Amino acid sequence: MASPVLPNPANLLGVALVVNRSRDGPRFVFHYPAQIQYGAKPRAATASSTGTGIRTGTGTGTGTGGDELDDDDEALLNQLGQPFLEGAAVSWDRDEHGETESGSHMVPWEHVAGYPTRDLESLLTPSRAFHKRLFQVSLDQLCFVSSPVYVCENGIWRKPRPKRPPENGNANGNGTDPGTSTAGPDEANGEEKEKETEKGKGKEKEKEQEKEREKDDKDEKKSGMTMFNLVFILKPKKHEAKELADTLYVHIIRKVNKLFKYSQQKTDFVWKESKRILTLKDKNREEKTRMSVLWREILDVSSLAACVQDIYEAVSQNKIAALQLETSEGTIAHSVQIPIPFHLTDLPPEEDAASTRGLWITTANYFVEEDSLHDPSFLDKNFGLLLMSDEKKIIAELQADADDATAAMIEFVRLSKPTMSFYQISQGSGLSPAQVRKYAQHFIFWRRGMAIPPLHARDVYIVSPNADFDLLPRASQAWARAFPLAPHLADFLAELSMAPRIYKWFSPSKNHRPTYLQMLAWLMRGGWVTQLCTFAYVVVWPEILYEVEYEIEAEELRTLQEEASKREKQKQAEREQQQQQQQQDANHDFEKGREKEKDEKPSRYQQFQQQGEHAQQRAWEHDSDHRDRRYIHHRPTSPAGSSSITRPGNSLSTSTTTLGPSSTSSAGAAVESPGLAAASSPLLAQTPTPSPLPLAAASSPSDLHPRAYRQDTPSHSEPPSASGSPPTIAQTQGERFALAARLSRIADKEAQAAYERSAAFARKPAPVATSSPSLNKAAHLAHLSPYVIVDARRATGKDSLYLSAIGRRFADPKVRAAWPVFWKYFNGRAALERVVLGLGPDGIGSDKMKIKKRKEAWALMATMSEHLLCVRHF
């Protein structure tokens, strides 16, 4: 994690205050320090050599981009590009007044950072569009950052308070409901008089408040200041400019502007102090007073100037700025700071090492994870508070500024020990867990404490690689005063820097442990030591990988076999159902044909009687009708695709026409595909029985074709003629045959693949569980490499199967039950030393298995060590 960009004396050159009046225009009131020099290169006289830009930031409350520069702005920038010391003496002392060769008077405080204040005050007075927004101007290497505050549109700094609407009475005019009054006449009159008296008093108070408002408005209108602007003069690196400007705007400029605006609304403080400073500057300009003398006088007289000084000195040194404004109504105190981290998660780069030297270095995250609580800044209950200064000193500071929460905060300070967690503090006191963490966050924000894992004698502590050994001589003296009987600081640090070991081994006896824990807290407070923690990942050895893969493949084959048997059963049931349906349709059609035959027989006999045919002809026709009916319902398919009809009793023998391609295909389908044969059989079964024709009516052999008798047959069941083109039914059947063949080939391929897969799986050796999976060097495991689960807490898919397979390897039921609880800490980020803290105060598991002590947790994790990959770092 990169360290944040913070202001320092190298990039923060000064702080200035600019005001604007409706009559006098903008005025450059004050700046600190008195001499702002940044060693800029000599600027050319042309404006093209001056790199100038204006932008508005995108931080909280910022606006959109600035307006384009007009002609006046360009002239101003050109003027800023001109050297202001043209013709001046080279040996001019900037603390004293001087004169140019032309005799013009040079005032030292009228030039800031090499620019005339008359030009800067115009440039640093933007329009009302930048009210309370980030305003940034770049001139050469300098950057001016501010957020101007303008007066309200009505010219009054205090916002007009909304007037309270008059209280309207009810329908009866006396504010009471006539339907709810049950008192007598005298009582009602007394209540009405009391209410009228109260109303009269309320109206008098409202009139007095209205008069006070009018008086305040008249007084406030006397102030002609329309804007004030607190400006920070920076010289940042190019890649740090935006971040530094946003940091100052969010943490310093906005909060100081609120303080100044509040004092201006109350007592016109900002303008009165500005007028006092400007008067002193004008007076000393005529007297040619040295700038250092004038600045000391201004700082002694004006609390506003002293506030600007405090802001610069505190912010440039990364300290808390305690501001005090001496107004006519009393002192207004406020504190501002830029929050700085009290720890680092990694060693800083060489260029940032000097600024971060001495900070505690650790990867412990004292905030609750985002996925477990909506507020990510909520402190973890398993951390403790290490006070950065003496307990008595902090209590004295709290008592000096007492309020309603002072007593509870003092109790919290007295109970806070570096060896206790926030949860333990809340359990042993009258403070709620929310109060404890709220007060801890307050002390951490104001740099009175830092959150650390509770100190323990069984943990390992080493010398911090980020320790500032330049402070060792001074720290040794403080160490000797705090622990006169302890070893010398350098010797004690040398012992800690040797081979890491548990901290309790440094204590001579168990009675000395409390004192040695106090010594450890002192070292932790100064950033001299850090905790060496153990982090773990779950490693899956090839034996377990092979076992899980074997089980997955066996399950897949078993599933495929079950699905295949289900499909076969379903197809068999469909075939049986189809055959039953076809049989029923055939029986129904046969019965229907017989009924029709009975109905048609009398009409045939009448027809033959009317024609006068003899009995032999009637017998022959009856015989012929019987044969035709048998041909239609039970027609055998000849190999050549043709059929013949022979009528006994007659020498005539007529050969039917050869069946077309449709008939041939249908016949072939009946032989090759049972499904298609079953589908085509109803067409033959549903053919109605034709009526016999006289022999003379058959003028050609084709007239004896069954088509001649199928006048009621549907068109889709009629066979095609020999000379016509194949109908649509032939194409549809061909597509069906192709589809059936393609599906058959696919099924054959799938069956072959399934067979080969089953054969290959049968040749694999079955997995065998060994006592040490990491030492299994079997030949079938040679192609597998160990696999590391990065985050076991969020394991899904195969990772979860690996974890379950590992859990089955533990013979001890207690270890097997603890494994799912422990594996969420094996993610490389949670220290194993703090696992027992995350298990909760009531332990884990059932009543038979509860973990409350660190020793038990370590024993369980030692049993799981076969499947853990451990690393150690701070």
Side-chain angles (χ1 to χ4, degrees):
M1 181 185 68
S3 57
V5 179
L6 299 175
N8 53 65
N11 57 24
L12 178 58
L13 302 184
V15 182
L17 179 65
V18 179
V19 299
N20 186 26
R21 295 200 70 197
S22 56
R23 292 184 301 175
D24 303 336
R27 298 295 301 272
F28 199 96
V29 179
F30 183 74
H31 67 276
Y32 189 89
Q35 301 291 344
I36 299 179
Q37 301 177 6
Y38 68 99
K41 297 179 180 180
R43 297 186 302 276
T46 59
S48 60
S49 63
T50 304
T52 306
I54 299 178
R55 79 166 184 91
T56 57
T58 57
T60 306
T62 59
T64 57
D67 300 332
E68 296 182 356
L69 298 177
D70 53 14
D71 297 337
D72 297 337
D73 295 333
E74 292 181 356
L76 175 60
L77 297 177
N78 293 336
Q79 184 178 1
L80 288 173
Q82 302 290 339
F84 69 89
L85 294 179
E86 184 178 0
V90 178
S91 61
W92 175 57
D93 186 2
R94 296 179 183 273
D95 190 35
E96 296 181 353
H97 295 249
E99 292 184 1
T100 62
E101 294 179 357
S102 60
S104 60
H105 184 196
M106 295 177 55
V107 183
W109 56 78
E110 291 183 356
H111 297 88
V112 176
Y115 297 98
T117 56
R118 65 178 180 273
D119 297 334
L120 289 177
E121 63 190 14
S122 300
L123 186 64
L124 298 176
T125 307
S127 62
R128 183 179 287 273
F130 294 97
H131 173 60
K132 291 185 178 181
R133 298 183 179 182
L134 178 60
F135 177 73
Q136 183 174 343
V137 179
S138 297
L139 296 175
D140 286 341
Q141 300 178 15
L142 295 184
C143 180
F144 298 84
V145 179
S146 64
S147 178
V149 179
Y150 274 83
V151 72
C152 298
E153 295 290 346
N154 56 5
I156 302 175
W157 281 98
R158 181 179 299 174
K159 291 184 179 180
R161 288 172 290 187
K163 296 182 180 180
R164 296 173 58 185
E167 296 181 358
N168 297 326
N170 291 329
N172 60 353
N174 56 5
T176 59
D177 188 358
T180 59
S181 177
T182 57
D186 296 338
E187 295 178 0
N189 292 334
E191 291 178 358
E192 291 177 0
K193 290 180 180 179
E194 290 179 359
K195 290 182 179 179
E196 289 177 0
T197 305
E198 292 177 358
K199 284 185 179 181
K201 292 180 180 179
K203 290 180 180 180
E204 290 178 359
K205 289 182 179 179
E206 289 180 0
K207 290 180 180 179
E208 291 178 358
Q209 293 177 358
E210 189 68 24
K211 290 180 180 179
E212 289 179 359
R213 289 197 205 100
E214 294 176 358
K215 184 178 179 181
D216 293 342
D217 294 344
K218 291 180 181 179
D219 294 340
E220 289 176 352
K221 286 180 182 179
K222 295 178 183 179
S223 175
M225 187 181 72
T226 60
M227 187 272 306
F228 67 84
N229 191 13
L230 184 68
V231 183
F232 285 77
I233 305 173
L234 308 176
K235 185 192 173 183
K237 297 179 181 179
K238 188 173 182 180
H239 64 281
E240 297 177 351
K242 185 179 184 304
E243 183 177 354
L244 182 60
D246 294 340
T247 300
L248 288 172
Y249 171 74
V250 172
H251 298 288
I252 303 298
I253 297 176
R254 292 176 58 189
K255 296 180 180 180
V256 174
N257 283 347
K258 288 182 180 180
L259 175 65
F260 285 178
K261 185 177 181 181
Y262 176 79
S263 60
Q264 176 66 20
Q265 291 175 351
K266 288 292 184 181
T267 60
D268 200 17
F269 172 78
V270 177
W271 169 239
K272 289 180 181 178
E273 292 294 316
S274 300
K275 185 168 58 174
R276 181 182 300 178
I277 295 173
L278 293 174
T279 303
L280 287 173
K281 291 171 70 175
D282 293 340
K283 177 182 177 182
N284 287 273
R285 186 179 188 277
E286 300 298 331
E287 297 177 358
K288 296 185 178 181
T289 307
R290 295 173 66 92
M291 187 175 184
S292 58
V293 177
L294 174 61
W295 246 240
R296 282 196 298 269
E297 183 180 358
I298 292 176
L299 293 174
D300 294 339
V301 172
S302 174
S303 62
L304 179 62
C307 180
V308 174
Q309 178 189 13
D310 294 339
I311 292 173
Y312 171 77
E313 292 180 348
V315 174
S316 62
Q317 299 295 331
N318 291 327
K319 296 181 180 179
I320 299 175
L323 309 179
Q324 289 186 352
L325 302 181
E326 302 293 339
T327 65
S328 58
E329 294 184 358
T331 302
I332 301 177
H334 190 60
S335 298
V336 295
Q337 65 152 343
I338 298 177
I340 60 174
F342 60 83
H343 75 284
L344 298 175
T345 58
D346 198 357
L347 290 175
E350 292 295 334
E351 56 271 14
D352 298 335
S355 59
T356 59
R357 185 72 66 189
L359 288 179
W360 178 43
I361 183 167
T362 183
T363 55
N365 181 20
Y366 59 92
F367 286 134
V368 177
E369 293 186 5
E370 296 183 6
D371 57 354
S372 58
L373 196 65
H374 296 292
D375 186 5
S377 63
F378 208 60
L379 291 176
D380 191 347
K381 66 178 182 179
N382 297 318
F383 274 68
L385 183 68
L386 176 62
L387 298 176
M388 300 301 293
S389 58
D390 187 42
E391 176 183 324
K392 296 180 181 179
K393 182 180 178 181
I394 296 177
I395 292 177
E397 292 177 355
L398 292 174
Q399 292 175 346
D401 188 13
D403 56 8
D404 297 339
T406 301
M409 295 180 73
I410 291 175
E411 182 183 359
F412 171 73
V413 171
R414 288 174 177 168
L415 293 174
S416 294
K417 305 297 178 185
T419 57
M420 298 178 62
S421 63
F422 297 138
Y423 180 83
Q424 292 172 338
I425 294 175
S426 62
Q427 292 297 313
S429 64
L431 301 176
S432 63
Q435 282 181 310
V436 169
R437 287 192 267 193
K438 179 181 177 181
Y439 295 154
Q441 181 65 41
H442 175 79
F443 285 115
I444 292 172
F445 179 81
W446 292 109
R447 310 182 190 184
R448 294 297 185 268
M450 64 179 185
I452 64 170
L455 304 180
H456 199 277
R458 288 182 176 271
D459 290 336
V460 180
Y461 298 91
I462 60 173
V463 177
S464 174
N466 198 44
D468 190 0
F469 287 97
D470 295 337
L471 304 176
L472 184 59
R474 188 185 306 172
S476 299
Q477 297 177 3
W479 172 272
R481 290 193 299 268
F483 310 102
L485 301 179
H488 194 270
L489 178 59
D491 298 338
F492 193 70
L493 293 177
E495 293 182 8
L496 289 175
S497 62
M498 295 174 63
R501 53 180 177 170
I502 298 176
Y503 184 73
K504 70 176 183 178
W505 291 351
F506 294 98
S507 177
S509 65
K510 192 172 183 179
N511 296 332
H512 289 80
R513 285 187 188 177
T515 304
Y516 269 72
L517 287 175
Q518 294 178 8
M519 295 162 55
L520 180 61
W522 191 95
L523 295 172
M524 188 75 71
R525 189 179 295 115
W528 295 102
V529 298
T530 186
Q531 184 179 356
L532 184 63
C533 300
T534 307
F535 302 87
Y537 298 92
V538 177
V539 57
V540 186
W541 298 108
E543 178 183 320
I544 300 177
L545 292 174
Y546 181 81
E547 177 184 342
V548 173
E549 294 292 343
Y550 189 90
E551 292 177 355
I552 292 175
E553 189 173 0
E555 182 64 25
E556 290 178 355
L557 293 175
R558 189 161 46 251
T559 303
L560 291 176
Q561 186 177 3
E562 292 177 357
E563 291 178 356
S565 58
K566 286 182 181 179
R567 286 197 299 268
E568 187 64 26
K569 291 180 180 179
Q570 185 177 2
K571 288 181 180 179
Q572 183 66 21
E574 290 177 357
R575 284 195 296 268
E576 293 178 357
Q577 184 178 2
Q578 190 175 9
Q579 291 177 359
Q580 292 178 2
Q581 184 67 27
Q582 292 174 359
Q583 186 67 26
Q584 292 177 3
D585 294 342
N587 296 335
H588 177 71
D589 292 342
F590 183 76
E591 296 294 334
K592 191 174 181 180
R594 292 183 63 181
E595 293 177 0
K596 188 175 182 180
E597 180 182 356
K598 293 178 181 179
D599 295 339
E600 290 179 351
K601 281 183 178 181
S603 61
R604 292 197 194 100
Y605 295 151
Q606 292 176 6
Q607 183 179 5
F608 292 151
Q609 287 177 2
Q610 290 176 2
Q611 293 178 356
E613 300 290 341
H614 47 79
Q616 184 178 2
Q617 187 177 359
R618 285 201 304 271
W620 179 86
E621 287 178 355
H622 178 74
D623 238 5
S624 174
D625 181 61
H626 178 71
R627 289 193 188 95
D628 290 344
R629 197 164 56 246
R630 185 178 59 184
Y631 170 77
I632 293 174
H633 291 284
H634 305 287
R635 179 179 57 185
T637 303
S638 62
S642 62
S643 59
S644 61
I645 302 176
T646 304
R647 304 178 185 271
N650 198 336
S651 60
L652 292 176
S653 177
T654 305
S655 176
T656 61
T657 58
T658 305
L659 294 177
S662 175
S663 303
T664 307
S665 301
S666 300
V671 175
E672 295 177 4
S673 178
L676 295 177
S680 59
S681 60
L683 297 177
L684 301 177
Q686 293 175 4
T687 305
T689 304
S691 59
L693 294 176
L695 185 62
S699 61
S700 64
S702 61
D703 293 335
L704 298 176
H705 194 273
R707 183 180 181 182
Y709 308 108
R710 296 183 188 176
Q711 298 179 1
D712 298 331
T713 305
S715 59
H716 65 271
S717 62
E718 297 178 2
S721 62
S723 60
S725 60
T728 308
I729 186 64
Q731 298 177 0
T732 304
Q733 287 180 348
E735 292 176 357
R736 291 170 61 184
F737 298 153
L739 177 61
R742 185 164 60 252
L743 293 177
S744 177
R745 289 193 300 270
I746 294 174
D748 293 341
K749 288 182 180 180
E750 291 180 353
Q752 182 66 22
Y755 172 77
E756 293 177 356
R757 184 176 179 183
S758 301
F761 179 76
R763 291 192 297 268
K764 287 185 177 181
V768 178
T770 61
S771 58
S772 298
S774 59
L775 302 178
N776 193 346
K777 304 297 182 181
H780 64 279
L781 305 178
H783 67 286
L784 298 175
S785 300
Y787 172 71
V788 177
I789 300 177
V790 178
D791 192 351
R793 184 175 186 176
R794 294 176 174 84
T796 57
K798 285 188 178 181
D799 290 354
S800 60
L801 297 177
Y802 296 151
L803 294 173
S804 300
I806 293 173
R808 293 193 297 268
R809 295 298 185 96
F810 300 122
D812 189 352
K814 188 174 183 180
V815 180
R816 193 183 303 114
W819 171 248
V821 182
F822 275 78
W823 78 40
K824 65 180 181 181
Y825 298 101
F826 303 147
N827 55 8
R829 295 188 302 271
L832 302 186
E833 287 80 3
R834 292 187 286 274
V835 168
V836 69
L837 299 177
L839 297 179
D842 299 330
I844 62 173
S846 60
D847 295 335
K848 297 181 180 180
M849 191 271 299
K850 286 189 177 181
I851 302 173
K852 294 184 178 180
K853 294 183 178 181
R854 182 187 298 258
K855 188 175 181 180
E856 297 179 15
W858 275 113
L860 289 173
M861 286 186 289
T863 309
M864 306 171 187
S865 60
E866 176 75 20
H867 307 280
L868 299 180
L869 179 64
C870 298
V871 294
R872 304 188 74 182
H873 58 79
F874 43 79

PDB file of all heavy atoms in Angstrom, residues 601-612:
ATOM      1  N   LYS A 601     -73.920 -54.919 -49.731  1.00  0.00           N
ATOM      2  CA  LYS A 601     -74.294 -56.174 -50.401  1.00  0.00           C
ATOM      3  C   LYS A 601     -75.692 -56.120 -51.016  1.00  0.00           C
ATOM      4  O   LYS A 601     -75.880 -56.504 -52.162  1.00  0.00           O
ATOM      5  CB  LYS A 601     -74.192 -57.347 -49.443  1.00  0.00           C
ATOM      6  CG  LYS A 601     -72.772 -57.823 -49.258  1.00  0.00           C
ATOM      7  CD  LYS A 601     -72.728 -59.036 -48.341  1.00  0.00           C
ATOM      8  CE  LYS A 601     -71.275 -59.525 -48.210  1.00  0.00           C
ATOM      9  NZ  LYS A 601     -71.193 -60.726 -47.335  1.00  0.00           N
ATOM     10  N   PRO A 602     -76.751 -55.666 -50.351  1.00  0.00           N
ATOM     11  CA  PRO A 602     -78.080 -55.637 -51.017  1.00  0.00           C
ATOM     12  C   PRO A 602     -78.083 -54.798 -52.268  1.00  0.00           C
ATOM     13  O   PRO A 602     -78.720 -55.147 -53.270  1.00  0.00           O
ATOM     14  CB  PRO A 602     -78.987 -55.063 -49.929  1.00  0.00           C
ATOM     15  CG  PRO A 602     -78.285 -55.402 -48.649  1.00  0.00           C
ATOM     16  CD  PRO A 602     -76.831 -55.313 -48.952  1.00  0.00           C
ATOM     17  N   SER A 603     -77.415 -53.708 -52.266  1.00  0.00           N
ATOM     18  CA  SER A 603     -77.422 -52.837 -53.453  1.00  0.00           C
ATOM     19  C   SER A 603     -76.724 -53.513 -54.627  1.00  0.00           C
ATOM     20  O   SER A 603     -77.150 -53.369 -55.781  1.00  0.00           O
ATOM     21  CB  SER A 603     -76.731 -51.519 -53.133  1.00  0.00           C
ATOM     22  OG  SER A 603     -75.386 -51.752 -52.762  1.00  0.00           O
ATOM     23  N   ARG A 604     -75.681 -54.318 -54.347  1.00  0.00           N
ATOM     24  CA  ARG A 604     -75.006 -55.019 -55.432  1.00  0.00           C
ATOM     25  C   ARG A 604     -75.946 -56.083 -56.074  1.00  0.00           C
ATOM     26  O   ARG A 604     -76.009 -56.230 -57.292  1.00  0.00           O
ATOM     27  CB  ARG A 604     -73.742 -55.705 -54.904  1.00  0.00           C
ATOM     28  CG  ARG A 604     -72.636 -54.763 -54.456  1.00  0.00           C
ATOM     29  CD  ARG A 604     -71.323 -55.537 -54.350  1.00  0.00           C
ATOM     30  NE  ARG A 604     -70.338 -54.749 -53.621  1.00  0.00           N
ATOM     31  CZ  ARG A 604     -70.035 -54.926 -52.349  1.00  0.00           C
ATOM     32  NH1 ARG A 604     -70.664 -55.872 -51.684  1.00  0.00           N
ATOM     33  NH2 ARG A 604     -69.137 -54.168 -51.764  1.00  0.00           N
ATOM     34  N   TYR A 605     -76.618 -56.812 -55.154  1.00  0.00           N
ATOM     35  CA  TYR A 605     -77.499 -57.851 -55.688  1.00  0.00           C
ATOM     36  C   TYR A 605     -78.638 -57.257 -56.527  1.00  0.00           C
ATOM     37  O   TYR A 605     -79.018 -57.800 -57.570  1.00  0.00           O
ATOM     38  CB  TYR A 605     -78.091 -58.692 -54.559  1.00  0.00           C
ATOM     39  CG  TYR A 605     -77.042 -59.489 -53.809  1.00  0.00           C
ATOM     40  CD1 TYR A 605     -77.229 -59.807 -52.467  1.00  0.00           C
ATOM     41  CD2 TYR A 605     -75.907 -59.951 -54.475  1.00  0.00           C
ATOM     42  CE1 TYR A 605     -76.264 -60.526 -51.781  1.00  0.00           C
ATOM     43  CE2 TYR A 605     -74.967 -60.692 -53.807  1.00  0.00           C
ATOM     44  CZ  TYR A 605     -75.120 -60.972 -52.461  1.00  0.00           C
ATOM     45  OH  TYR A 605     -74.187 -61.689 -51.780  1.00  0.00           O
ATOM     46  N   GLN A 606     -79.184 -56.125 -56.101  1.00  0.00           N
ATOM     47  CA  GLN A 606     -80.234 -55.480 -56.879  1.00  0.00           C
ATOM     48  C   GLN A 606     -79.716 -55.043 -58.247  1.00  0.00           C
ATOM     49  O   GLN A 606     -80.386 -55.130 -59.268  1.00  0.00           O
ATOM     50  CB  GLN A 606     -80.800 -54.291 -56.125  1.00  0.00           C
ATOM     51  CG  GLN A 606     -81.586 -54.686 -54.873  1.00  0.00           C
ATOM     52  CD  GLN A 606     -82.044 -53.472 -54.096  1.00  0.00           C
ATOM     53  OE1 GLN A 606     -81.857 -52.338 -54.562  1.00  0.00           O
ATOM     54  NE2 GLN A 606     -82.680 -53.733 -52.960  1.00  0.00           N
ATOM     55  N   GLN A 607     -78.458 -54.549 -58.218  1.00  0.00           N
ATOM     56  CA  GLN A 607     -77.875 -54.088 -59.469  1.00  0.00           C
ATOM     57  C   GLN A 607     -77.676 -55.251 -60.446  1.00  0.00           C
ATOM     58  O   GLN A 607     -77.959 -55.137 -61.632  1.00  0.00           O
ATOM     59  CB  GLN A 607     -76.520 -53.429 -59.189  1.00  0.00           C
ATOM     60  CG  GLN A 607     -75.865 -52.838 -60.433  1.00  0.00           C
ATOM     61  CD  GLN A 607     -74.542 -52.187 -60.090  1.00  0.00           C
ATOM     62  OE1 GLN A 607     -74.120 -52.275 -58.946  1.00  0.00           O
ATOM     63  NE2 GLN A 607     -73.947 -51.558 -61.105  1.00  0.00           N
ATOM     64  N   PHE A 608     -77.187 -56.348 -59.883  1.00  0.00           N
ATOM     65  CA  PHE A 608     -76.988 -57.506 -60.763  1.00  0.00           C
ATOM     66  C   PHE A 608     -78.326 -58.076 -61.272  1.00  0.00           C
ATOM     67  O   PHE A 608     -78.411 -58.576 -62.385  1.00  0.00           O
ATOM     68  CB  PHE A 608     -76.224 -58.597 -60.027  1.00  0.00           C
ATOM     69  CG  PHE A 608     -74.792 -58.199 -59.725  1.00  0.00           C
ATOM     70  CD1 PHE A 608     -74.136 -58.714 -58.613  1.00  0.00           C
ATOM     71  CD2 PHE A 608     -74.131 -57.326 -60.588  1.00  0.00           C
ATOM     72  CE1 PHE A 608     -72.853 -58.366 -58.364  1.00  0.00           C
ATOM     73  CE2 PHE A 608     -72.823 -56.977 -60.319  1.00  0.00           C
ATOM     74  CZ  PHE A 608     -72.168 -57.489 -59.199  1.00  0.00           C
ATOM     75  N   GLN A 609     -79.385 -58.069 -60.442  1.00  0.00           N
ATOM     76  CA  GLN A 609     -80.697 -58.564 -60.884  1.00  0.00           C
ATOM     77  C   GLN A 609     -81.258 -57.695 -61.996  1.00  0.00           C
ATOM     78  O   GLN A 609     -81.883 -58.179 -62.912  1.00  0.00           O
ATOM     79  CB  GLN A 609     -81.658 -58.610 -59.704  1.00  0.00           C
ATOM     80  CG  GLN A 609     -81.351 -59.738 -58.717  1.00  0.00           C
ATOM     81  CD  GLN A 609     -82.266 -59.732 -57.514  1.00  0.00           C
ATOM     82  OE1 GLN A 609     -83.170 -58.868 -57.446  1.00  0.00           O
ATOM     83  NE2 GLN A 609     -82.069 -60.661 -56.600  1.00  0.00           N
ATOM     84  N   GLN A 610     -81.105 -56.363 -61.862  1.00  0.00           N
ATOM     85  CA  GLN A 610     -81.611 -55.456 -62.877  1.00  0.00           C
ATOM     86  C   GLN A 610     -80.894 -55.664 -64.212  1.00  0.00           C
ATOM     87  O   GLN A 610     -81.473 -55.494 -65.260  1.00  0.00           O
ATOM     88  CB  GLN A 610     -81.454 -54.004 -62.424  1.00  0.00           C
ATOM     89  CG  GLN A 610     -82.367 -53.627 -61.285  1.00  0.00           C
ATOM     90  CD  GLN A 610     -82.091 -52.199 -60.801  1.00  0.00           C
ATOM     91  OE1 GLN A 610     -81.243 -51.522 -61.369  1.00  0.00           O
ATOM     92  NE2 GLN A 610     -82.860 -51.787 -59.796  1.00  0.00           N
ATOM     93  N   GLN A 611     -79.657 -56.023 -64.218  1.00  0.00           N
ATOM     94  CA  GLN A 611     -78.892 -56.239 -65.444  1.00  0.00           C
ATOM     95  C   GLN A 611     -79.221 -57.598 -66.072  1.00  0.00           C
ATOM     96  O   GLN A 611     -78.819 -57.883 -67.191  1.00  0.00           O
ATOM     97  CB  GLN A 611     -77.389 -56.125 -65.152  1.00  0.00           C
ATOM     98  CG  GLN A 611     -76.957 -54.726 -64.776  1.00  0.00           C
ATOM     99  CD  GLN A 611     -75.474 -54.662 -64.457  1.00  0.00           C
ATOM    100  OE1 GLN A 611     -74.804 -55.705 -64.457  1.00  0.00           O
ATOM    101  NE2 GLN A 611     -75.009 -53.449 -64.171  1.00  0.00           N
ATOM    102  N   GLY A 612     -79.852 -58.455 -65.341  1.00  0.00           N
ATOM    103  CA  GLY A 612     -80.260 -59.748 -65.899  1.00  0.00           C
ATOM    104  C   GLY A 612     -79.132 -60.734 -66.041  1.00  0.00           C
ATOM    105  O   GLY A 612     -79.126 -61.535 -66.958  1.00  0.00           O
TER     106      GLY A 612
END
